[in-house]
Amino acid sequence: MNTLEQTITIDWINTIGWTLLHSLWQACVIALLVTIMLRLMPSSRSTVRYAIATGGLLLMTAISLGTFLHIAGTSAT
């Protein structure tokens, strides 16, 4: 337990908190863009619609990771 307390510092808690906060609005923007794109696609193109939706989920993950790395890098300096 003592090593866990030494590993998780207040900087890590702040970084994770800010990442979660930013990921909420970033995911909403991506979801809005994906929704607009899906509404513009014809319903018969299921493979394209699947690719757009999957791309949106992957983008949400990548942006959250990028935000975490950015905030961690900023707080380290």
Side-chain angles (χ1 to χ4, degrees):
M1 185 69 178
N2 204 8
T3 59
L4 183 62
E5 290 174 353
Q6 293 172 351
T7 305
I8 300 176
T9 62
I10 193 71
D11 290 334
W12 279 103
I13 294 170
N14 284 335
T15 302
I16 291 171
W18 282 109
T19 301
L20 289 172
L21 182 68
H22 287 297
S23 68
L24 288 174
W25 70 264
Q26 291 168 345
C28 286
V29 169
I30 293 169
L32 179 66
L33 293 175
V34 167
T35 301
I36 291 170
M37 291 175 70
L38 290 177
R39 295 213 185 256
L40 295 176
M41 298 300 303
S43 60
S44 61
R45 306 285 307 238
S46 62
T47 56
V48 176
R49 295 170 59 86
Y50 181 80
I52 290 171
T54 304
L57 291 173
L58 290 173
L59 186 60
M60 286 179 193
T61 304
I63 285 188
S64 294
L65 179 63
T67 301
F68 176 80
L69 293 174
H70 176 72
I71 293 172
T74 303
S75 66
T77 58

